[in-house]
Amino acid sequence: MRLEQVLHEVNVLSRSGPATAEIRSVEFDSRAVGKGSLFMAMRGGTVDGSQFVDAAVAAGAAAVATDAAEKFASLVERHPRLPLLLVPHGREALARLASNLYNHPEELLGLSGVTGTNGKTTTAFLLDAMLREAGRKTVLVGTIEYHVAGDVRASPHTTPESRDLLQLFAEGTQLGATEAVMEVSSHALEQGRVHGLPFDVAIFTNLTQDHLDYHQTMQQYFKAKQRLFDGRLGAPPRIAVINVEDDHGLELALRSREAGAELFSYGLGVGEFRASSIQLRPEGMQFALETPWGSAEIHSELTGRVNVQNMLAAAAAALGRGLSLQQVVDGATALRHVPGRFQTVQSGQPFTVVVDYAHTDDALRNLIAVAREFADAQPKPGRVLTLFGCGGDRDRAKRPRMGKAAGAGSDLCMLTSDNPRSEQPEAILDDVLPGLRESGVRFLVEVDRATAIRRLLREAQAGDIVLIAGKGHEKTQQVGAELLPFDDASVAAEALAALGYLGHGEAR
């Protein structure tokens, strides 16, 4: 594609060098540059892409764009025969460049975005299942994995950079996809990774403390989430699906309406989309879905009140995308589980073992509440045993809150490592302990996560529910700079086998 075509509607502040070039790809990573690439040398959180321009040129770059105004003159001096472009915002330019190169695949898809602290993944999986059950081909982008018209791929990022996202969309449309469902992280919204994408439906699940290592304050965190709804991405969504039981959701509903979006409000007992006659069991749930389209009975192998809320959000979005109420019901039934979300490990043991991604105090509190309800409902009430930790290089302020939340609802807690990253694991545990002690719960501390899982399972008795929280679907543990193989469900299955439970260790 000619350079001028790739630059269509890109805001260029200054340019030098030849006016023409043939562009084969757009790249933001100099290591991916090849002959004919346009290299977008943009500023990142810790790295300035302009320092890699020479390497990109050596690799065959046909043009370079940068948002480093103070470096532009020196780049022109070093590369006078290369098309060089100065843009005001690197990520916004990258989004437009990639959209032009891939012939605007985002315009061929009904795009639904899900944001919030908790519930994004399950809500996205549910909406994707509903759309697919209705016969539509989809692209799914999120924390656990990517789906491209049925092809399942690894997920390096919850919300990838726009260039990679648009490539996924292009591949999807070539295979017949007409819908895209994606989790939209606060980082992606703040950084402009989804700038210019025409979201038809935007979903807000909730907001609780997380990512303050990046956003600094809850207000800044909320402002990042607002971008999906208030038109700052380019245009507001046609439909805003918002949890009005959340205090931030009430404010967001107002902002969405002011921006021109149609509001679909939901909540367990309030809003246009509600749930009644809720019945929860460890093996699944059922409830009456109340909507402006009428009522329907939902049966699902997912469980817990938080998943009732996720189901309401997905149902509202699906109806907004033109599905019938029956197609919503069929899709809800079709999704049997979401990896790492209340995922049970079954080896014939007389107690329940659950692996879950809960890694905020609110998510942990909700998870324990579900387990407590099930444990108390048995003829002989069981106990709730909770294993958890906190990630390194992340919001330290939430660590004692995690300890307090875990202890408040559990009968026994096991504090252990999560992904310590560059921090010392023992230092992270020390930050959690004040909240855990404040709760008054009996607790154990074991730094090694595999050993901690084995120790906690040895404590379990018939009727208990053992929660292994924090990592969920993850298959690695980050210790320092290393990514070590680690799967909570597999470690639990191996521990159960060592205890004499000889089932298949199947997770569902």
Side-chain angles (χ1 to χ4, degrees):
M1 182 177 285
R2 289 183 293 108
L3 176 60
E4 288 308 312
Q5 292 175 293
V6 178
L7 290 176
H8 180 63
E9 294 188 349
V10 176
N11 185 9
V12 177
L13 301 176
S14 183
R15 62 188 297 172
S16 73
T20 61
E22 193 66 25
I23 304 301
R24 298 180 181 179
S25 71
V26 171
E27 307 294 349
F28 61 90
D29 185 338
S30 62
R31 294 166 295 184
V33 168
K35 186 177 180 181
S37 296
L38 188 158
F39 176 52
M40 182 63 247
M42 61 191 185
R43 299 177 188 273
T46 57
V47 177
D48 182 350
S50 64
Q51 67 183 286
F52 301 106
V53 168
D54 292 349
V57 173
V64 172
T66 181
D67 56 1
E70 73 281 5
K71 305 283 184 64
F72 189 66
S74 65
L75 291 175
V76 171
E77 185 177 344
R78 294 205 308 273
H79 305 287
R81 295 184 177 85
L82 189 74
L84 291 169
L85 313 155
L86 178 64
V87 299
H89 191 291
R91 279 193 165 93
E92 290 184 8
L94 178 66
R96 175 56 61 180
L97 292 166
S99 175
N100 290 336
L101 183 72
Y102 291 117
N103 292 313
H104 311 288
E106 72 280 9
E107 296 177 0
L108 304 176
L109 295 165
L111 182 57
S112 300
V114 188
T115 198
T117 306
N118 302 309
K120 294 189 298 295
T121 296
T122 300
T123 300
F125 265 74
L126 280 165
L127 177 55
D128 181 70
M130 292 171 184
L131 293 166
R132 286 188 291 103
E133 198 67 16
R136 302 186 187 183
K137 284 191 176 182
T138 66
V139 175
L140 174 68
V141 180
T143 303
I144 296 177
E145 57 199 19
Y146 300 161
H147 299 175
V148 181
D151 179 34
V152 180
R153 305 179 185 182
S155 168
H157 302 287
T158 295
T159 312
E161 293 286 358
S162 58
R163 177 251 181 253
D164 295 342
L165 185 60
L166 287 158
Q167 183 178 34
L168 288 172
F169 287 173
E171 292 174 9
T173 56
Q174 289 167 8
L175 294 170
T178 60
E179 303 275 346
V181 180
M182 60 181 294
E183 297 178 50
V184 187
S185 70
S186 58
H187 293 71
L189 287 162
E190 183 72 28
Q191 294 169 2
R193 290 185 224 162
V194 292
H195 179 78
L197 290 184
F199 286 96
D200 186 60
V201 176
I203 303 168
F204 172 78
T205 59
N206 50 61
L207 196 81
T208 60
Q209 184 174 325
D210 201 12
H211 304 307
L212 296 194
D213 54 305
Y214 180 80
H215 296 288
Q216 303 302 313
T217 68
M218 285 296 292
Q219 185 60 27
Q220 290 301 114
Y221 182 31
F222 181 49
K223 283 183 178 180
K225 297 293 188 185
Q226 280 184 294
R227 289 175 181 267
L228 188 60
F229 299 86
D230 63 12
R232 280 182 289 166
L233 297 181
R238 181 176 61 90
I239 295 174
V241 178
I242 295 178
N243 175 8
V244 292
E245 288 185 317
D246 185 286
D247 290 341
H248 292 93
L250 291 171
E251 182 179 346
L252 193 56
L254 177 62
R255 299 285 174 263
S256 299
R257 276 181 161 165
E258 290 175 345
E262 181 180 357
L263 177 64
F264 281 16
S265 60
Y266 76 91
L268 293 181
V270 297
E272 299 170 290
F273 297 80
R274 303 180 303 279
S276 61
S277 304
I278 300 171
Q279 298 180 42
L280 304 175
R281 303 174 304 280
E283 64 274 12
M285 64 184 182
Q286 67 182 70
F287 65 91
L289 170 65
E290 311 287 346
T291 83
W293 279 259
S295 302
E297 194 75 17
I298 295 289
H299 295 263
S300 172
E301 291 191 27
L302 306 185
T303 193
R305 290 185 179 274
V306 66
N307 278 325
V308 177
Q309 291 181 314
N310 295 334
M311 191 74 75
L312 291 172
L319 290 165
R321 286 297 305 147
L323 269 62
S324 69
L325 199 54
Q326 186 57 53
Q327 287 170 329
V328 167
V329 171
D330 293 342
T333 303
L335 184 66
R336 299 187 61 188
H337 75 278
V338 179
R341 272 60 176 178
F342 212 86
Q343 176 180 346
T344 60
V345 181
Q346 301 167 340
S347 291
Q349 74 276 6
F351 49 87
T352 302
V353 178
V354 173
V355 171
D356 193 274
Y357 189 56
H359 63 286
T360 67
D361 56 302
D362 186 61
L364 194 56
R365 195 177 295 109
N366 289 335
L367 174 66
I368 293 169
V370 172
R372 171 63 62 196
E373 188 171 357
F374 294 153
D376 289 348
Q378 299 176 92
K380 181 183 178 183
R383 301 174 301 161
V384 176
L385 284 57
T386 304
L387 178 145
F388 76 106
C390 290
D393 302 334
R394 297 295 186 266
D395 181 10
R396 290 186 61 181
K398 78 175 184 181
R399 292 174 184 173
R401 296 163 62 105
M402 288 282 287
K404 187 174 181 180
S410 304
D411 297 290
L412 172 65
C413 283
M414 173 67 76
L415 176 60
T416 188
S417 293
D418 190 283
N419 291 307
R421 300 183 177 91
S422 70
E423 291 192 62
Q424 288 298 315
E426 294 84 357
I428 298 173
L429 304 191
D430 285 344
D431 286 342
V432 179
L433 281 170
L436 196 54
R437 292 191 177 109
E438 184 182 346
S439 74
V441 73
R442 177 189 166 218
F443 66 89
L444 306 169
V445 178
E446 172 55 63
V447 174
D448 182 77
R449 191 173 181 93
T451 302
I453 291 173
R454 290 192 289 268
R455 284 184 61 186
L456 191 61
L457 291 176
R458 285 199 296 269
E459 294 273 346
Q461 301 170 6
D464 290 347
I465 297 182
V466 179
L467 303 175
I468 302 174
K471 290 175 59 60
H473 63 282
E474 295 176 358
K475 304 300 180 187
T476 60
Q477 183 179 36
Q478 187 173 351
V479 180
E482 289 188 278
L483 279 178
L484 306 175
F486 198 99
D487 179 350
D488 278 351
S490 296
V491 172
E494 291 167 5
L496 289 169
L499 290 171
Y501 303 113
L502 303 176
H504 297 294
E506 296 176 351
R508 73 166 187 85

